[in-house]
Each structure stands twice: as structure tokens, then as C-alpha cells.
């Protein structure tokens, strides 16, 4: 696909001396910019251009022209190219080729650090022309070369293609752009948009780049130090925004160790650390940081010629629409002096101070501080710094809340309205605008104006849905909306639809981080799904830019009637981009990798149409300490706020888990289950809908908060069994004999849903047409040393390693292949295969090209989910054998899993904690906030790879009494066309009824993620 080629005004010179557009697709422009201002290029070449495409953000290539004498060989040009290149490559020998409108050429295929590279050279008379760049952008390279050789713009198409099949990720590729200052501004912009995960990746990538950049020697020691510091404090802030407070602490500690005395840097760290404390609701800690005197030799600023890119949060307002704004007289300088920059950061610090005072119950002093901050911000360059719009809007909103606290409601509403109007005029339909709207909506709720508030909140939902965005990071701001809906649903049942829509858009920050990582993995691929996804990302950004430019044009048109035609043209361009985006997303919907990361939501009517008779869908949504529940079945829907707070539920979950599986001095230990607690938690969740739950046989459960750590089937649905158990134990009976308990999972088949959309997609997917029935992986080869016996499939305490690697002892407890053999025998059918011992390596799995030939994949191995040490990032993975003669790391990690190509009805993860509890650090890769399970890590990766459903475990799978083998054998003994959730339930009931295995530790841990109503073994 491509769109028509546009030409910039300054490209009209037939000699192409400035710049020219090479082509575009979906709005993703490629442009050739003159590089002859570079002294190196001027020395080595007569003319030179750099090719830049929006979707890549780093230069994709360079075009050169060199006049030469007849004796100058082609290798002379190659030497010059090698000297000019920023990326090291290794090239093959030249091959002859004929290119359209170019003719005979020499092509060299190369490999570099970011993927495939190519060099094309053409001789015309006494001039050698050359183009070098990434092979994925071959069409842009060829068009650039043809235009330079012709001395005019050559029409053509530029395909959006892969930028190399590597694991650096989309953000890391972008962060390798030519100018780190531009990348830093992009990182700030992503922070402002609420995409904290991508912002964190940008700053982390900039840190890596600074360490290895071959041009780093051009920086002075002070410049290098200040950049390293700024990258670290920004990464710390983004990690804090994601709720990864331990990792944020580590990043800020590293930043404090950087010996910078720069006043701007010291101010940045002060503000960002204060924000970090505010994120943790530590207002006094934040205030102490703001009160702390700045230290360092650079505290005294002097006005000079040096300029730096506009930063902190206020700089997030910068966009690529700046040039058009300038043409309209809306002046925005893209750089500020250090003095101006420090003044803006100080104004932001005063905003934080005022917010703390307001939250501490001091509205008068808060308003005084906030008013001074607003005056200081507006005074910079006489108010011409339009990129502080968000800061100004935040200050207006805070001032409004101080008026409300004093009972001046009219003034409060006026300030809040101004905040919304200011952002709406400059940055329409953005997260920043929706945040201001939410603040206004909350005020209206508090004033009892429910209908007005509903209108405001519905506008937020419509905006986010229209932009295919989530509301990550807005949970606190939306609490009044959820409370309003839950309060009014009993009298107005139709509001359950609003609650369902809003709850789907509240993607928790940790899950958003996982989705971001998987999105980067998808973007770095080389297939059609990856190409379409990159096109979608590019279109989204172009739509955002177009809307901003349109808003600025409309504002200018209010005083200049001659701009009417430009407004209409800009609107038409935005509409066309939206149409292109809709078509792209429609094509993407066919790919499971995209469906796994898509933020699209279902309507309540669509969800009801998805359910079958006898099914109920129960969804939890956590906002702060509040938990909201939605129940949907064939009779309708309802919603309510749980009487128990999120903290209370978390305490009960923790207490139950400690009786099920807990590490005591390195040994996995099980205690008698707290039966009254399991009953109490059931009533907390399901009490208001207990009659409706009793009427269904298949429960689809979408957890949130602490319930991500606990399978719902072990909750107790009846009091009679609890009373009988307690009476029996009081008379000296066996406290580990739980027969007779009315577990929820005894009479209900249970499926776990990642989201409503994920469940609908799993249900709608056609059954696998794979020819082979089953492939099993397990029984890894141990490392040198004793082979240990495993009593569970948990992880060993680290044997003293001082890095973030796993103890080698993990590999010396392989899970026997007995379970795999029994499963293969039980399934039968056409073709089964086992991969065990030394053959079971991560490379053996990722290197297979026939995995899509198997209907069921089964991994019986250790799952490594929690970090090996506090402060280490989580790397969810399945343990495999090492390959001594290859670069195998003995781990099948979730990014590698996502890149597999499966066509499976089911993946079984008979391992440890593949859907279970983990520490805070697990959230980055496993997708949970504040600790919790690894549900969104390995599980989502397998679903994205092409499995309809996954069976995963919530805790170490037990080996005692052969419990896991018996459970799996019962599962795979399912009758043809029997639903997989029902087959698992029946296998679990057999263990429930055996006194040795009646404890939930033995039967409850495995969960079906996806549609449990699908058959395990379909009739052919």
C-alpha cells in the first residue's frame, strides 16, 4: 500500500539542494534531508542526503554523489561509505542487478546491529552514486537514489516494512535515532500520553545508547554526565508511574550517584523524586524533598548562549505540528535557555507543593502557591511558550479544587472549565484532555449533578474508544464515575453497559507494560501482521498530529477568515487517516498476535451475545481500594461495589495462599486451609449475585487486584460443609481432610478470561486444523552435579548468586516425563511426539517450523516467574535444557514464546506459578501491578502465538501422591467433544474426594485461560 507522493516547497529546486519527500504510506513520510552541512560528508562527497521515515524515527539510509576521475575504483567509494557510516556492517561481494529507471547497478547485501543492510552503487559518466541503508526500506532507498540521479522528484511508492528481525524492540529502534534530544522529547511525549511503559523503554534505551554510541566522544564530560542523569531520573519516574516502586527506587539511587552539579538536572531529580513519593501517597516525603536545598556547584544559573531541548513533563506538549503552528503565528520555540528551563521546572515544583498543601487540607495556602506558579510559568517569554499548556491546565485545575474546598463552587467550576478548554484547544482528544475532563466530572459528582457528570464521563469514554486508547493511569480520577454507576445501577439497570465499557478500558499499569513489550515484539517482526501493525502505529501518530494541527488552525481561523480552506483541508486529511486506520485495523484483526495486544473493547450487547445458555461472566475492576464487580448472563447484567475493600480482599487472599503453598526456610510447605476465610471471600465477591451464580454451570471469571493470585474455584459456595468440617476437626478429626466442602469448583466449570475481548476472540476462533494431535516438552537435562528430586515444580532459593541470574540448581530438578507419556497415550489420535532430555532446549523449540502442526502443546517443566533477587527485573520463562554447542540460555522466555507460530487448541503449562503469585518486580514482564500473578506474561504470550486456550498453574504443581500426573491424566481422558473446563472439573472432583488430595493445593491450582467450553478433543 502507498499514498501519493508529496513535495515540500523547498524541494522545487531541480538540483534537490535542500530536501525532498521520497514517498509516503498511510501518512508515514520518508524524506531526504541534505547532509552536506556535516563536515565529514562535505569532505568525502560532493552531495549527500540522509533518508528519514516517520515510522522508523532513525535515519534509514543515506544517498551520496561523488565526482571522480576515470581511475577511481568502486572500492574508493566504499571506503568513503565505511568512514561516513554510523552503523557497523559486514557485506557480501557485489552482485550485478538492474533497477527500474536506474539500470545496471552493483548491490551488496550486508548485516548490521539492527538487521539487514544493503549498499547500491551506480556509475554515470564521471559520477558515482550510492545509497546505503536498511534493506527493509529498499523502496525508499531506491526512490531516493533515482531522484538524486534524475535531479528531480521521481514519483513512486514507499512500503512500510520491517526494520529488521531482532529483539531490540520497537521503542529501542526508535531510540537509536540520529539526535538523542529528539528521542528524549519523544519519551516525554509518551509520558504525557500516559504510555509510561514505552516512555520508560525510551529512556532505558537512551542510557544504553550513551554507553555504546561511537559519537559519545564528541560530548564533553559534563554533557555526558548530565545526559546519563536525565535518562535515569526519567526512567525512574516512568517506573514509578507504572507502580514499579522498587525498580524506581533503584533508578533514582543510580541517578543520585551521578556526580552532576547542573542546576537543571538537580531540579529535575527533585521534582521527579517528589512525584515518585506522591505516587506512593507519601505526601510528607514528597514535601520534604521539595523543601530540601539544592546542592551542587551548578546551582547558580547564568544566562548564556547554550540552549537545551525543552524537557520535564511540560515539554511533553511538544508535537510535530510545531512548524504549522509557527506559520499561523502561534510561536513555539523548541529550545529554551537553561535559565528558562529551570524556571519552568521550578514552576512545576511549586505546582507539586500546592497540590500537597491542598491534599493536606490547606486550600488557602495551596492556592497562593499555585497562583504564583501559574504567574511564573506564563511570564516565561511573555507567555509565548505554548508547550507549557498542560502545566497551566493542571495549575488551573488545582486552583479550582482549592476554591471547592472553601465552598466557592462557582469559582471552582469556572477554573475547571478553563482547564478543559485550554487543553481542548491545543491538544484535542488526548489523555491530558481526558484527565481534565475527569477532574471536572468528579466535581460534578460531588455537587450531586449526576446527569451532567455522566455526560462528561461518557465524553471521556467516547474519546478513548475513538482513539483506541486505554485509561491506564486514570483509575484514581475515574473512581467517582464508577461509584456513581454502582450506586445508580439498581434503579437504572441500563447503566451496567457504561460500567462494562469503562471497566474494560482500565488496563492496569503492569498489564499495560506487558502489552507494550509484546507490541514491540510484534512491531519488530517480519510478517504481514508486523507490517500492518507498524502501519497502524504510524497512522495513530499521524492522526494525533493532524488533530493538534487542526485544533490550532481552527483557533487561528477565529480571527483570520482566510484560513477556512486550510481548516477544511486539514479536516479532510484527518478523516482520510482515520479511514486508513480503520482499514488497517480490520486487516490486523485476523492475526492472533495483534488480538493479544489490542485494546479494543466489547459492548455489553456483544458480550451477552457471546455467552451460551448456562454461562455467567463475572468481572472485577480495582480502582484504588475499591473493587467493582460486573455480572453478565442471559437474563441481563448488573454491577456493584464490593462491601470489602481491595485491601481486605488482598489480606484474605494472602492468608489463603499461605495455607496452600508457602516457602518456609527453602521448603515448600502446606497448612490446613482456612475454611471460614474461603467462605467469607466467596460472600465478598459473589454474595449480591449468589442466586444467579447458582443457576449457571460455566463461570467465566475475569480477575483483578489480589484475585489475580488465587483460583476462584477454591472459594466455598455453601455454609453447610464449613460447619460440618469445623465440627469434625473440633472432635479431633483430620484437619487436612476437606471432603464434603462445597467448593465453587465442584459444581461449576471455570474459565479465566484475560479480558472480555480475549474471551470473545477465543470463542470465535475456528478449531485448529493441525494434523498432529500432541507434542510434549519436559524432563530437561540437568547441569553437572547431583540430580535432585522435586516435590513440587517450584523454584529453588538462589544458591548465593550475586547477579540477576538463576541458581544452576534450578536445572538439576527436572520434571520426569511420565506425565507427558501418559498424556500422549491418553490423547491418541494422529501423531504424538515427545521432546525431552538434552533435545529439549529453548533453541529446539524456537527453531522448529512445524509447531503449528500440533493441536495440543504440553510443557512439563519448571516455571520461573518471580525475580531471582529483589531489585532484579522479572523474566518469566519456562526452564529448558542447555545446548552446550549453541547459544542457548536454558530458558524459553515470554518474548520468544510470543514469536512462535502456533495453531493450537490448547497449551498446557504443567509448571510452577505460570498463572500465579509473584513479587512486585514481576509486574514489568508478567503484567500485574503491586505484585500478583503471572497471568498476563507467559499466558498472554502463548495466546498471542496462536493458542486458543492455555492451562496454567497458580502455584508450584505438586508431585506428592502423583497429584499433578493424576490430574493431567484425568484431563486428557476427556471424551470427544467434552468441554475442556468440564473435563478439568471432573478430574479435580476425583482429587477432591480422595482424603490424601482433598486439600486445594493438590487439585485447585490449574486454571483454564480462554474458552473452557471448547472441546479438548474435537471429533474429526
Amino acid at each position: 500500500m502507498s499514498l501519493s507522493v508529496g513535495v515540500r516547497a523547498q524541494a522545487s529546486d531541480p538540483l534537490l539542494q535542500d530536501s525532498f519527500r521520497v514517498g509516503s504510506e498511510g501518512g508515514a513520510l520518508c524524506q531526504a534531508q541534505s547532509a552536506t552541512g556535516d563536515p565529514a560528508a562535505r569532505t568525502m562527497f560532493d552531495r549527500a542526503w540522509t533518508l528519514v521515515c516517520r515510522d522508523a524515527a532513525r535515519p534509514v539510509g543515506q544517498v551520496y554523489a561523488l565526482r571522480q576521475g576515470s581511475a577511481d575504483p568502486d572500492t574508493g567509494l566504499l571506503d568513503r561509505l565505511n568512514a561516513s557510516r554510523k552503523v557497523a556492517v559486514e557485506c557480501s561481494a557485489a552482485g550485478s542487478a538492474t533497477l527500474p529507471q536506474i539500470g545496471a547497478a552493483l548491490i551488496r547485501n550486508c548485516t548490521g546491529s539492527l538487521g539487514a543492510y544493503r549498499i547500491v552503487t551506480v556509475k554515470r559518466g564521471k559520477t558515482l552514486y550510492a545509497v546505503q541503508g536498511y534493506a527493509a526500506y529498499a523502496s525508499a532507498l531506491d526512490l531516493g537514489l533515482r531522484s538524486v540521479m534524475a535531479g528531480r522528484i521521481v514519483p513512486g511508492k514507499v512500503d512500510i516494512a520491517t526494520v529488521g528481525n531482532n529483539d531490540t524492540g520497537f521503542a529501542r529502534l526508535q531510540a537509536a535515532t540520529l539526535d538523542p534530544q529528539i528521542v528524549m522529547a519523544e519519551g516525554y511525549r509518551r509520558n504525557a500520553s500516559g504510555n509510561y511503559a514505552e516512555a520508560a523503554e525510551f529512556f532505558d534505551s537512551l542510557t544504553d545508547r550513551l554507553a555504546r554510541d561511537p559519537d559519545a566522544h564528541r560530548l564533553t564530560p559534563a554533557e555526558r554526565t548530565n545526559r546519563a542523569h536525565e535518562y535515569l531520573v526519567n526512567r525512574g519516574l516512568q517506573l514509578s508511574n507504572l507502580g514499579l516502586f522498587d525498580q524506581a527506587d533503584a533508578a533514582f539511587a543510580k541517578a543520585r550517584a551521578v556526580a552532576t552539579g547542573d542546576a537543571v538536572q538537580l531540579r529535575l531529580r527533585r521534582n521527579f523524586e517528589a512525584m515518585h513519593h506522591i505516587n506512593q501517597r507519601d505526601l510528607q516525603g514528597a514535601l520534604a524533598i521539595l523543601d530540601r536545598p539544592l546542592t551542587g556547584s551548578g546551582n547558580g544559573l547564568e544566562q548564556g548562549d547554550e540552549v537545551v531541548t525543552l524537557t520535564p513533563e511540560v515539554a511533553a506538549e511538544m508535537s510535530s505540528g510545531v512548524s504549522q503552528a509557527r506559520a499561523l503565528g502561534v510561536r513555539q520555540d523548541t529550545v529554551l535557555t537553561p535559565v528558562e528551563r529551570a524556571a519552568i521546572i521550578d514552576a512545576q515544583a511549586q505546582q507539586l507543593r500546592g497540590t500537597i498543601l491542598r491534599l493536606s487540607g490547606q486550600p488557602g495556602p495551596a492556592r497562593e502557591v499555585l497562583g504564583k506558579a501559574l504567574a511564573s510559568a506564563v511570564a516565561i517569554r511573555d507567555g509565548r511558550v505554548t508547550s507549557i499548556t498542560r502545566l497551566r491546565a493542571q495549575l488551573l485545575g488545582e486552583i479550582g479544587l482549592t476554591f471547592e474546598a472553601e465552598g466557592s463552587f462557582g469559582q471552582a467550576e469556572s477554573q475547571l472549565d478553563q482547564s478543559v478548554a485550554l487543553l481542548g484547544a491545543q491538544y484535542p482528544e488526548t489523555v491530558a484532555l481526558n484527565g481534565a475532563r475527569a477532574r471536572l466530572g468528579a466535581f460534578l459528582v460531588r455537587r450531586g449533578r449526576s446527569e451532567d457528570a455522566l455526560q462528561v464521563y461518557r465524553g471521556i469514554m467516547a474519546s478513548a474508544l475513538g482513539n483506541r486508547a486505554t485509561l491506564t493511569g486514570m483509575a484514581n480520577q475515574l473512581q467517582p464515575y464508577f461509584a456513581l454507576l454502582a450506586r445508580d445501577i439498581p434503579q437504572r439497570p441500563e447503566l451496567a453497559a457504561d460500567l462494562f465499557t469503562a471497566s474494560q478500558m482500565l488496563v492496569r499499569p503492569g498489564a499495560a507494560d506487558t502489552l507494550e513489550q509484546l507490541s514491540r515484539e510484534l512491531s519488530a517482526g517480519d510478517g504481514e501482521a508486523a507490517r500492518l501493525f507498524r502501519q497502524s502505529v504510524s497512522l495513530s501518530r499521524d492522526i494525533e498530529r493532524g488533530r493538534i494541527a487542526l485544533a490550532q488552525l481552527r483557533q487561528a481561523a477565529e480571527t483570520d477568515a482566510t484560513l477556512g480552506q486550510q481548516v477544511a483541508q486539514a479536516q479532510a486529511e484527518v478523516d482520510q487517516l482515520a479511514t486508513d486506520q480503520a482499514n488497517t485495523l480490520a486487516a490486523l484483526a485476523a492475526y492472533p498476535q495483534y488480538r493479544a495486544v489490542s485494546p479494543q473493547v466489547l459492548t455489553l450487547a456483544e458480550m451477552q451475545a457471546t455467552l451460551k445458555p448456562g454461562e455467567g461472566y463475572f468481572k472485577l475492576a480495582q480502582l484504588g481500594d475499591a473493587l467493582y464487580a460486573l455480572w453478565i448472563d442471559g437474563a441481563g447484567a448488573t454491577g456493584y461495589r464490593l462491601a470489602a475493600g481491595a485491601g481486605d480482599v488482598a489480606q484474605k487472599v494472602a492468608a489463603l495462599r499461605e495455607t496452600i503453598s508457602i516457602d518456609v526456610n527453602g521448603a515448600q510447605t502446606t497448612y490446613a486451609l482456612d475454611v471460614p476465610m474461603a467462605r467469607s471471600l466467596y460472600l465478598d465477591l459473589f454474595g449480591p449475585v449468589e442466586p444467579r451464580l447458582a443457576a449457571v454451570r460455566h463461570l467465566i471469571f475475569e480477575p483483578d487486584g489480589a484475585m489475580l493470585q488465587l483460583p476462584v474455584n477454591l472459594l466455598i459456595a455453601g455454609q453447610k460443609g464449613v460447619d460440618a468440617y469445623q465440627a469434625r476437626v473440633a472432635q479431633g478429626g483430620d484437619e487436612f481432610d476437606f471432603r464434603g466442602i462445597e467448593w465453587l469448583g465442584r459444581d461449576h466449570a471455570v474459565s479465566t478470561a484475560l479480558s472480555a475481548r480475549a474471551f470473545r476472540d477465543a470463542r470465535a476462533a475456528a478449531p485448529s486444523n493441525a494434523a498432529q494431535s500432541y507434542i510434549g516438552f519436559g524432563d530437561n537435562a540437568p547441569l553437572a552435579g547431583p540430580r535432585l528430586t522435586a516435590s513440587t515444580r517450584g523454584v529453588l532459593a538462589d544458591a548465593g548468586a550475586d547477579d540477576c541470574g538463576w541458581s544452576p540448581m534450578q536445572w538439576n530438578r527436572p520434571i520426569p516425563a511420565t506425565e507427558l507419556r501418559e498424556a500422549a497415550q491418553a490423547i491418541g489420535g494422529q501423531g504424538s511426539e515427545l521432546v525431552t532430555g538434552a533435545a529439549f532446549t529453548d533453541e529446539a523449540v524456537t527453531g522448529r517450523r512445524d509447531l503449528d502442526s500440533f493441536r495440543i502443546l504440553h510443557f512439563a517443566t519448571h516455571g520461573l516467574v518471580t525475580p531471582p533477587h529483589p531489585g532484579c527485573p522479572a523474566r518469566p520463562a519456562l526452564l529448558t535444557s542447555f545446548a552446550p554447542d549453541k547459544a542457548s540460555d536454558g530458558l524459553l522466555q515470554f518474548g520468544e514464546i510470543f514469536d512462535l507460530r502456533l495453531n493450537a487448541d490448547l497449551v498446557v503449562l504443567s509448571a510452577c506459578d505460570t498463572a500465579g503469585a509473584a513479587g512486585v518486580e514481576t509486574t514489568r514482564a508478567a503484567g500485574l501491578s503491586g505484585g500478583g500473578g503471572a497471568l498476563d506474561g507467559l499466558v498472554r504470550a502463548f495466546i498471542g502465538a496462536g493458542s486458543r486456550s492455555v492451562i496454567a498453574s497458580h502455584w508450584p504443581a505438586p508431585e506428592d501422591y502423583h497429584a499433578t500426573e493424576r490430574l493431567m491424566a484425568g484431563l486428557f481422558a476427556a471424551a470427544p467433544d467434552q468441554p475442556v473446563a468440564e473435563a478439568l472439573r471432573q478430574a479435580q472432583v476425583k482429587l477432591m474426594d480422595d482424603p490424601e488430595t482433598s486439600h486445594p493445593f493438590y487439585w485447585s491450582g490449574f486454571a483454564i485461560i480462554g474458552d473452557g467450553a471448547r472441546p479438548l478433543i474435537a471429533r474429526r
Side-chain angles (χ1 to χ4, degrees), residues 183-203 233-242 272 275 279 311-317 348 390 394 431-432 472-473 544:
V183 185
M184 188 159 57
E186 284 290 295
Y188 280 119
R189 190 174 70 83
R190 279 155 177 73
N191 170 72
S193 71
N195 196 338
Y196 305 129
E198 190 174 353
E201 191 70 18
F202 265 81
F203 291 112
V233 295
N234 272 280
R235 176 161 172 76
L237 177 60
Q238 307 317 317
L239 291 170
S240 178
N241 289 338
L242 287 167
F272 290 2
M275 293 179 194
N279 285 342
T311 63
E313 288 240 328
V314 296
E317 309 308 320
Q348 183 187 53
R390 189 183 184 198
Q394 289 171 334
V431 172
T472 301
E544 177 186 350

Side-chain angles (χ1 to χ4, degrees), residues 381-422:
R381 297 199 184 183
D382 299 322
R384 291 183 291 112
V385 183
T386 58
S387 59
I388 62 171
T389 297
R390 189 183 184 198
L391 176 60
R392 292 172 59 192
Q394 289 171 334
L395 287 164
L396 287 169
E398 283 292 330
I399 292 171
L401 295 180
T402 65
F403 279 120
E404 181 190 9
E406 293 180 336
S408 300
F409 303 124
Q411 288 180 294
E413 186 170 357
S414 174
Q415 296 288 317
L416 293 169
D417 284 338
Q418 288 182 54
S419 176
V420 171
L422 184 62

Side-chain angles (χ1 to χ4, degrees), residues 40 153 216 273 406 519 606 680 841 916 954 962:
I153 304 300
E273 287 200 83
E406 293 180 336
S519 295
E606 290 172 330
S680 174
T841 67
H954 273 276
H962 302 286

Side-chain angles (χ1 to χ4, degrees), residues 656 673-683 714-716 743:
L656 287 172
L673 186 78
D674 190 332
V675 170
M677 188 77 75
R679 172 63 177 161
S680 174
L681 188 53
Y682 170 88
L683 293 173
L714 63 72
L715 301 184
I716 299 176
W743 309 110

Side-chain angles (χ1 to χ4, degrees), residues 124-395:
R124 285 287 185 274
K126 293 186 177 182
T127 302
L128 271 179
Y129 297 94
V131 63
Q132 63 177 350
Y134 295 102
Y137 287 86
S139 56
L141 301 179
D142 289 350
L143 273 174
L145 179 61
R146 285 158 56 188
S147 296
V148 168
M149 292 180 65
R152 60 180 177 81
I153 304 300
V154 175
K157 297 187 298 182
V158 172
D159 296 325
I160 296 179
T162 177
V163 287
N165 187 15
N166 58 79
D167 61 359
T168 57
F170 186 54
R172 288 188 175 274
L173 177 69
Q174 288 193 312
T177 188
L178 182 65
D179 185 355
Q181 296 288 67
I182 294 175
V183 185
M184 188 159 57
E186 284 290 295
Y188 280 119
R189 190 174 70 83
R190 279 155 177 73
N191 170 72
S193 71
N195 196 338
Y196 305 129
E198 190 174 353
E201 191 70 18
F202 265 81
F203 291 112
D204 190 37
S205 301
L206 282 168
T207 299
D208 291 346
R209 177 182 173 185
L210 185 65
R212 67 172 187 270
D213 193 337
D215 291 332
H217 66 276
R218 297 182 181 178
L219 300 174
T220 67
E223 289 171 337
R224 186 179 182 85
T225 296
N226 290 339
R227 287 193 184 186
H229 180 271
E230 186 158 1
Y231 301 160
L232 279 171
V233 295
N234 272 280
R235 176 161 172 76
L237 177 60
Q238 307 317 317
L239 291 170
S240 178
N241 289 338
L242 287 167
L244 305 177
F245 300 131
D246 286 352
Q247 289 189 55
D249 285 338
F252 283 123
K254 289 181 180 178
R256 287 192 295 272
V258 176
T260 179
D262 182 84
V264 170
Q265 294 301 319
L266 295 173
R267 284 168 165 79
L268 278 179
R269 190 170 74 220
R270 174 197 63 194
N271 285 16
F272 290 2
E273 287 200 83
M275 293 179 194
H276 175 45
H277 282 265
I278 292 174
N279 285 342
Q280 299 172 83
R281 303 183 182 180
D282 178 15
L283 300 184
Q284 292 308 308
L287 190 59
I289 290 174
L290 293 172
D291 287 339
R292 189 183 304 155
L294 292 175
T295 59
S297 60
N299 193 29
L301 286 169
E302 294 183 2
Q303 182 77 44
D305 294 333
E306 180 190 4
V307 292
V308 292
T309 300
L310 180 65
T311 63
E313 288 240 328
V314 296
E317 309 308 320
M318 293 179 61
S319 73
S320 59
V322 166
S323 59
Q324 187 166 0
R326 285 177 175 169
L328 298 171
V330 184
R331 181 67 178 174
Q332 168 59 68
D333 292 319
T334 59
V335 292
L336 297 174
T337 67
V339 170
E340 291 168 326
R341 186 181 181 197
I344 291 178
I345 300 172
D346 282 342
Q348 183 187 53
Q350 291 299 91
Q351 179 223 336
L352 297 174
R353 185 185 300 277
T355 299
I356 293 170
L357 288 171
R358 178 184 65 79
L359 293 173
S360 301
Q362 303 178 63
R367 186 165 59 253
E368 182 179 357
V369 171
L370 293 167
K372 291 180 179 178
L374 180 60
S376 298
V378 174
I380 299 171
R381 297 199 184 183
D382 299 322
R384 291 183 291 112
V385 183
T386 58
S387 59
I388 62 171
T389 297
R390 189 183 184 198
L391 176 60
R392 292 172 59 192
Q394 289 171 334
L395 287 164

Side-chain angles (χ1 to χ4, degrees), residues 90 176 287 350 397 426 452 598 614:
E90 296 181 2
L287 190 59
Q350 291 299 91
Q426 288 291 329
D452 291 339
S598 170

Side-chain angles (χ1 to χ4, degrees), residues 441-632:
F443 168 79
L444 295 172
V445 170
R446 292 191 295 272
R447 301 307 310 141
R449 295 162 57 182
S450 298
E451 289 304 316
D452 291 339
L454 284 174
Q455 183 177 355
V456 170
Y457 284 120
R458 283 169 175 165
I460 295 171
M461 300 302 132
S463 172
L465 286 169
N467 290 320
R468 296 172 179 84
T470 65
L471 299 174
T472 301
M474 288 186 61
N476 289 334
Q477 293 173 287
L478 293 175
Q479 286 194 53
Y481 180 44
F482 278 70
L484 172 63
L485 294 173
R487 185 197 71 190
D488 290 354
I489 280 175
Q491 294 77 39
R492 300 176 60 184
E494 70 275 10
L495 293 181
D498 294 79
L499 185 60
F500 183 58
T501 297
S503 66
Q504 292 177 79
M505 301 175 71
L506 275 181
V507 179
R508 56 192 176 274
D513 191 41
T514 292
L515 293 173
E516 175 60 33
Q517 291 191 57
L518 294 180
S519 295
R520 293 196 299 270
E521 195 74 22
L522 171 58
S523 181
D526 57 0
E528 180 66 6
R531 187 192 72 82
L532 287 169
F533 184 73
R534 286 190 296 274
Q535 179 170 305
S536 172
V537 170
S538 180
L539 285 166
S540 295
R541 291 171 181 167
D542 285 337
I543 290 171
E544 177 186 350
R545 296 178 181 110
R547 284 175 174 164
I548 292 172
L550 178 60
Q552 294 171 343
L553 273 168
R554 283 176 171 164
Q555 187 177 30
E558 294 177 359
T559 56
D560 186 351
T562 64
L563 295 174
Q565 184 175 356
Q566 292 185 44
V567 171
Q569 181 179 353
Q571 181 66 66
E573 291 175 354
V574 170
D575 292 343
Q576 182 59 54
L577 289 170
T579 300
D580 293 342
Q581 177 73 299
N583 293 335
T584 301
L585 293 175
L588 267 171
Y591 297 93
Q593 278 191 314
Y594 172 71
R595 294 197 300 269
V597 301
S598 170
Q600 295 183 1
V601 303
L602 298 184
T603 65
L604 179 58
E606 290 172 330
M607 188 71 243
Q608 287 179 294
T610 299
L611 297 177
K612 299 177 181 179
E615 292 185 332
Y617 193 95
F618 184 85
K619 175 179 173 59
L620 282 176
Q622 179 175 336
L623 291 86
D625 192 50
L627 277 168
Y628 293 88
L630 273 149
W631 174 269
I632 306 170

